[in-house]
Amino acid sequence: QVQLVESGGGLVQAGDSLRLSCAASGPTFSGYSMGWFRQAPGKEREFVAGITWSDGNPYYTDSTKGRFTVSRDNAKNTMYLELNSLKPEDTAVYHCAADSSRLVAITTIQYDYWGQGTQVTVSS
């Protein structure tokens, strides 16, 4: 059984940075792809970044490319999301997710496993 636990969220000011972590446990993740999603109050959960576990290829949306950086540490079974130049509109609960395929998907339905999320609040 796959378990995902996020950490690293918090309250920051606009322009600050944060690094989120997603600790994964369960089977080997070499054949998995991983994603970071966020959900703001009253809005749908949206994809922000993803990575293929085997080769570490990152994927971003147009709004996050250049500000967010996704990475993973095989030895620690942990995925990271570095958030830079944060804006108030980045305020949301950030979730990590795992998909037992090698292709990074941007839709929530593709993912098999989810973490509980970590809150990121950016004040202006």
Side-chain angles (χ1 to χ4, degrees):
Q1 183 71 11
V2 173
Q3 289 190 322
L4 305 173
V5 179
E6 303 95 335
S7 61
L11 172 62
V12 297
Q13 294 187 331
D16 285 351
S17 298
L18 278 176
R19 189 175 80 156
L20 309 183
S21 298
C22 173
S25 61
T28 177
F29 290 94
S30 60
Y32 278 66
S33 59
M34 308 287 289
W36 282 101
F37 288 75
R38 66 184 180 187
Q39 188 165 20
K43 294 189 176 181
E44 293 187 353
R45 193 169 293 189
E46 64 172 353
F47 175 84
V48 296
I51 193 166
T52 51
W53 198 269
S54 58
D55 53 18
N57 279 336
Y59 296 84
Y60 303 98
T61 66
D62 289 341
S63 66
T64 60
K65 190 172 185 179
R67 289 197 305 127
F68 294 180
T69 302
V70 62
S71 62
R72 87 298 184 230
D73 185 328
N74 283 343
K76 296 182 178 180
N77 257 15
T78 300
M79 177 177 64
Y80 302 98
L81 184 66
E82 186 164 342
L83 314 174
N84 297 309
S85 303
L86 282 162
K87 307 174 182 179
E89 51 264 42
D90 294 318
T91 295
V93 176
Y94 284 71
H95 298 267
C96 65
D99 175 19
S100 57
S101 77
R102 297 181 184 272
L103 300 176
V104 173
I106 65 171
T107 55
T108 58
I109 196 171
Q110 297 293 111
Y111 288 84
D112 305 306
Y113 306 98
W114 291 85
Q116 291 298 308
T118 185
Q119 176 71 49
V120 172
T121 304
V122 185
S123 64
S124 56

